[in-house]
Amino acid sequence: MASIHKEMGIDATPAQVWDALRDVGALHTRLAQGFVVDCRLDGDARIVQFANGLQVRELIVDVSDARRRIAWSASGGRLTHHNASAQVQDDGTGRSRVTWVADLLPNEMAPAIAGMIEQGLQAMRRTLEAEHAASPLGGDWRGG
């Protein structure tokens, strides 16, 4: 089974990043604008439409406020297995470090999924840093 582990720093507070990440039905508006173009809730799952045309159903497995971690399992496309998690941590300066881990089959899909995760993290950074800069804090990431 392929396992992908990616991390990225985001110039926003962990509380701000977690607030957007935990809003599981708002990927396209609050978390990864441009990478995700639509998202709708369907019971304990969300239907996610990506900019590349791929649509997947993601069962939300866990949303942990204590650990600032969300876990999901996806189906759709060419994957036979996919489970993933994303977690927000303080990087030691009040800014955020997001860790995204995915386990999937078939192994041959790993490069494509790793590329999508990288694109997703870049979209998260753009979306969250733009929102943070526009906040009443005036872009001062040490606040609130």
Side-chain angles (χ1 to χ4, degrees):
M1 180 175 303
S3 187
I4 301 164
H5 182 113
K6 300 248 182 208
E7 292 187 14
M8 178 170 285
I10 297 178
D11 197 8
T13 68
Q16 290 171 310
V17 175
W18 174 241
D19 188 57
L21 182 62
R22 76 173 318 283
D23 192 355
V24 297
L27 293 176
H28 60 308
T29 58
R30 296 199 58 208
L31 190 65
Q33 295 174 4
F35 176 67
V36 175
V37 296
D38 191 35
C39 180
R40 70 182 189 283
L41 296 177
D42 182 25
D44 291 338
R46 62 187 174 195
I47 309 302
V48 181
Q49 180 75 42
F50 294 93
N52 67 4
L54 180 65
Q55 180 173 302
V56 298
R57 178 181 174 83
E58 297 180 343
L59 177 64
I60 305 302
V61 176
D62 185 42
V63 178
S64 172
D65 288 322
R67 295 185 311 170
R68 289 188 185 128
R69 179 181 176 270
I70 179 174
W72 67 96
S73 176
S75 59
R78 299 185 331 212
L79 295 173
T80 58
H81 174 84
H82 179 275
N83 63 282
S85 65
Q87 186 167 12
V88 181
Q89 296 173 312
D90 189 311
D91 75 353
T93 68
R95 291 177 285 191
S96 299
R97 174 143 305 276
V98 174
T99 303
W100 188 336
V101 177
D103 299 314
L104 59 105
L105 288 171
N107 293 335
E108 298 77 31
M109 292 298 297
I113 299 302
M116 286 187 70
I117 290 171
E118 186 65 35
Q119 290 172 11
L121 285 168
Q122 292 291 340
M124 288 171 61
R125 177 187 276 162
R126 283 190 307 274
T127 302
L128 294 165
E129 288 183 355
E131 179 181 311
H132 179 71
S135 76
L137 299 172
D140 180 3
W141 55 264
R142 291 173 185 89

